[in-house]
Amino acid sequence: MSFGDPNNPYGQQPPQGQPNPYGQPQGQPQQPGYGYPQQGQPQQPGYGYPQAPPVQPYGGGFPGGPTEMPGGVKAARVMLFVIAGLQVIGAVLFAITGAAISKAQDDPTLKDDVQFQDLADFSTGAIYGLALLVLLWGVLAVFLGVKFKSGGNGIRITTMVFGIITAILGIYPFVIVGLAHTVLAILVTVFIGKSDGDAWFSRPQH
């Protein structure tokens, strides 16, 4: 069937959009059926089903754990150094007391006092021993504080045990002078036992 010259403006043009036997106009691209996504386009999530949030890695958003020491752990570290300073002061006071008792043993008026001499000999050795223990306890506090930067979960557990024992000793027998130790030791144990402390000491060591 001829439709004439295509350059003739008065010629008969071929019909546009005649329907085919299947109901689709000829000369037009087929449209995708309703409910079927077009090819090449990403499917959108269904209505009413929000996308799941991305899973956060372990350690508060840092892969493998935090890269910077948390504030609570830093505070516990400073408190350990404060406890160590108080231990040094206590050791010095014990040493001064022991020296004073030793000097009293040389007092002529007390040389004939057998009971005082026996008590002085026992007290001097005990006081010097306490001074040494107090000093070593302070050294342990410094060691734990230094290890906070590179230590693992073993340092965390040791620090918590250290804090509990220090708090108990602050209550008895050193009730008055140990009050500051008790408060600081409790705070150290609480800060280290928190989740951020666990994440810091459980991080992979490089």
Side-chain angles (χ1 to χ4, degrees):
M1 180 178 182
S2 176
F3 296 100
D5 187 2
N7 296 323
N8 185 3
Y10 301 99
Q12 185 177 4
Q13 301 294 329
Q16 300 291 332
Q18 292 184 357
N20 56 19
Y22 299 99
Q24 179 70 25
Q26 297 181 356
Q28 295 182 1
Q30 295 184 0
Q31 300 295 328
Y34 179 78
Y36 296 92
Q38 296 183 7
Q39 296 182 355
Q41 295 183 358
Q43 297 185 4
Q44 300 296 328
Y47 179 77
Y49 296 92
Q51 292 183 348
V55 179
Q56 295 292 336
Y58 178 78
F62 299 98
T67 57
E68 183 179 356
M69 187 181 298
V73 179
K74 290 181 180 179
R77 188 186 190 190
V78 173
M79 292 176 188
L80 283 175
F81 293 147
V82 173
I83 291 176
L86 294 176
Q87 293 295 114
V88 172
I89 295 175
V92 171
L93 293 177
F94 277 119
I96 292 175
T97 303
I101 294 177
S102 297
K103 186 177 181 180
Q105 291 177 350
D106 299 330
D107 190 344
T109 60
L110 297 175
K111 282 185 176 181
D112 297 333
D113 192 337
V114 179
Q115 293 181 354
F116 172 78
Q117 293 297 329
D118 293 339
L119 179 62
D121 291 337
F122 174 78
S123 298
T124 303
I127 289 175
Y128 282 132
L130 286 175
L132 180 60
L133 290 176
V134 169
L135 183 61
L136 292 177
W137 200 250
V139 172
L140 178 58
V142 173
F143 172 79
L144 293 174
V146 171
K147 283 294 185 178
F148 269 29
K149 188 174 182 180
S150 59
N153 199 42
I155 294 296
R156 174 174 177 262
I157 295 175
T158 305
T159 304
M160 295 179 68
V161 173
F162 173 87
I164 294 173
I165 295 176
T166 303
I168 294 175
L169 293 176
I171 297 175
Y172 181 83
F174 309 105
V175 180
I176 299 177
V177 297
L179 181 60
H181 289 76
T182 301
V183 175
L184 292 173
I186 291 175
L187 292 176
V188 168
T189 305
V190 170
F191 287 149
I192 296 300
K194 292 172 62 177
S195 59
D196 55 351
D198 184 18
W200 172 254
F201 288 101
S202 299
R203 75 194 189 284
Q205 301 294 327
H206 301 289

